[in-house]
Amino acid sequence: MITNDKRVRIITGHYGSGKTEFAINYVLKLREMVEGRVAISDLDVVNPYFRSREKKSFLQEKNIRVIDSSIDGRCVDVPALSAEVTAPMVNEDYSYVIDLGGDHVGSRAFARFAGSLDKENYDLLFVVNANREQTATPEGVIDHMEKIEQTTGLKVTGLINNTHLVRETTAEDVIKGHELSKKVSKLKNIPLRYTACTESILKELPEEIKESVFPIKLYMREDWM
């Protein structure tokens, strides 16, 4: 399921793309696959909703190190980041996932840590949601990608089709996102690494899409959402 990704995986995308949901599912699957240390950093200091840190206790119970705000206080939400972010970057014992803030504004948080990144051992994975207005076309996706590349100084190395409408998502949504992602892949020569969808939708997809499917659960959405 997770194949050929570099040790440090940075996950980014447009606001509302579902990048955090994918990041949570990804790091949990990574924990099942590797024997060494696994960590995830929440670098989203822009959007106060649906962040990896909300599942900190759950992830820690799975033996996953969670790095978030450097301000650890009850009922306190301060947009600050810990220097701990760099530790799993330089320690090769770790398999590392970084949940980056949305768009180029959110990705600015990575700038202070970029110097610690091994430029030969990272993947910058861009999450595509074709149901978001600003990323519904190849031009829109590419515009967001290039702005993030300019801000971080890194190149996007893979695409993730995560086209969804939360619990209203259909196979048609996933197929639409697959077609959009393949167009971007061809235009930018960037591989489509994964297509995220729930198990219930997977069985409805054509075989060509099933090959890249990454089954997910909705950890970031409570049952009432």
Side-chain angles (χ1 to χ4, degrees):
M1 184 179 298
I2 294 178
T3 58
N4 301 322
D5 292 350
K6 299 296 179 64
R7 185 180 66 82
V8 178
R9 297 91 161 172
I10 306 166
I11 298 174
T12 188
H14 180 40
Y15 293 117
S17 63
K19 62 180 184 58
T20 294
E21 190 73 84
F22 183 84
I24 294 293
N25 276 271
Y26 187 102
V27 78
L28 286 167
K29 180 55 65 176
L30 199 58
R31 176 69 284 171
E32 293 176 6
M33 295 177 61
V34 303
E35 295 183 357
R37 298 177 180 179
V38 174
I40 182 170
S41 282
D42 178 357
L43 263 62
D44 193 342
V45 295
V46 177
N47 182 9
Y49 305 107
F50 304 114
R51 296 174 298 185
S52 302
R53 69 191 73 180
E54 296 174 23
K55 298 299 177 183
K56 186 171 184 176
S57 296
F58 169 68
L59 294 171
Q60 288 175 332
E61 289 172 0
K62 303 291 186 181
N63 195 27
I64 297 170
R65 180 179 177 184
V66 180
I67 303 167
D68 52 18
S69 173
S70 61
I71 307 299
D72 189 9
R74 186 175 182 181
C75 301
V76 175
D77 191 356
V78 179
L81 291 170
S82 170
E84 279 189 90
V85 170
T86 61
M89 281 190 202
V90 298
N91 187 339
E92 294 189 0
D93 291 340
Y94 276 95
S95 293
Y96 196 21
V97 177
I98 298 175
D99 180 11
L100 199 56
D103 292 355
H104 66 288
V105 176
S107 64
R108 289 174 186 164
F110 187 74
R112 63 179 282 201
F113 306 110
S116 300
L117 182 68
D118 180 353
K119 298 303 189 296
E120 302 298 322
N121 202 15
Y122 82 91
D123 274 307
L124 179 59
L125 305 176
F126 186 91
V127 178
V128 177
N129 184 352
N131 285 332
R132 298 293 290 178
E133 182 179 1
Q134 294 186 39
T135 53
T137 65
E139 294 77 16
V141 174
I142 291 170
D143 179 61
H144 276 75
M145 282 175 42
E146 291 181 345
K147 286 178 179 176
I148 289 171
E149 288 179 333
Q150 291 169 9
T151 301
T152 61
L154 306 175
K155 287 295 183 181
V156 172
T157 59
L159 302 174
I160 300 165
N161 169 28
N162 189 38
T163 300
H164 68 90
L165 289 170
V166 194
R167 289 188 173 83
E168 302 301 316
T169 307
T170 65
E172 286 70 27
D173 291 313
V174 178
I175 292 168
K176 177 173 71 173
H178 179 81
E179 293 172 351
L180 173 62
S181 299
K182 293 299 286 185
K183 289 178 182 177
V184 174
S185 173
K186 185 175 181 179
L187 288 169
K188 295 293 291 182
N189 193 30
I190 298 171
L192 172 59
R193 295 281 186 90
Y194 304 108
T195 291
C197 72
T198 59
E199 291 279 2
S200 60
I201 293 175
L202 173 57
K203 60 187 178 183
E204 301 177 36
L205 298 177
E207 291 300 323
E208 64 173 304
I209 297 181
K210 288 181 180 180
E211 294 176 0
S212 65
V213 161
F214 191 110
I216 64 170
K217 296 180 180 178
L218 300 183
Y219 292 105
M220 298 304 299
R221 295 277 182 166
E222 305 299 334
D223 291 340
W224 54 269
M225 290 183 176

